[in-house]
Amino acid sequence: MRRPWRRDRAAGGVLLAAVVAGLTWAAGLRTATVGLLALAVLVATALVVRADPPPDPVLPRPEPPPVPGARTDVGDLVWVLTTRGGDVGLGFHRRLQAAAHVRLRAVGVDPDDAASVVAALGPAVAATLGTAAPPRTGAAVAALDALERLRPAGAPPGGPTTAKSTASSTAPPVARGGTA
């Protein structure tokens, strides 16, 4: 790729070689010496023109520390959620596997024991979580639903999934579209 500044420098080099040749010829040097000096100026100009200028310095932009649940975090999840082919993205699949690992440990299931994972989640969800390739969106949603329904042993159905719950059991239900 030729750049315009190179063309200007090359033309300046030819002009400089002509000026040097004219001055040395006027000084009374032999024609061979004049030609060699002009050739040396052309070669030096070609080398200078060929060299790229140094790049402009770029100062690194400091990145703010990530805030969990911030807009960028949600945006990252949206971008990795689905691909054009209908599969979930690889980033979402990895996050789903990490969340399943944590969730299974929280309810007392060893995530490394395939039989206990199949018993807790079912064979289809266990296969979805156990593959390296990202699953279809429907399979990922089914895995999320199964992980959400997962309860610790002895916990009542529909109750809190962990020992600490942020919701109050005595709070009145919120009507759809309204306030409590």
Side-chain angles (χ1 to χ4, degrees):
M1 177 178 145
R2 298 209 84 203
R3 297 184 181 143
W5 60 269
R6 283 188 175 170
R7 217 173 304 122
D8 295 341
R9 283 189 179 178
V14 172
L15 181 63
L16 181 62
V19 169
V20 167
L23 289 176
T24 54
W25 181 74
L29 295 174
R30 283 190 270 158
T31 308
T33 306
V34 171
L36 285 175
L37 282 174
L39 184 62
V41 169
L42 282 175
V43 169
T45 304
L47 290 175
V48 169
V49 169
R50 189 79 179 138
D52 284 333
D56 293 334
V58 178
L59 298 176
R61 183 175 163 194
E63 292 291 329
V67 177
R71 181 178 177 164
T72 56
D73 202 22
V74 174
D76 290 345
L77 277 175
V78 169
W79 278 107
V80 299
L81 183 59
T82 57
T83 63
R84 290 182 185 182
D87 299 335
V88 296
L90 185 60
F92 181 80
H93 183 56
R94 288 179 180 158
R95 287 184 181 197
L96 178 64
Q97 288 173 329
H101 191 80
V102 170
R103 181 69 173 201
L104 288 169
R105 286 228 186 265
V107 298
V109 177
D110 182 17
D112 298 324
D113 182 20
S116 63
V117 172
V118 169
L121 298 174
V125 173
T128 298
L129 294 174
T131 62
R136 303 289 291 174
T137 305
V141 170
L144 283 172
D145 289 341
L147 289 171
E148 187 176 327
R149 287 190 307 267
L150 198 58
R151 305 277 181 238
T161 58
T162 60
K164 294 182 180 181
S165 176
T166 57
S168 171
S169 61
T170 60
V174 176
R176 178 177 277 194
T179 59

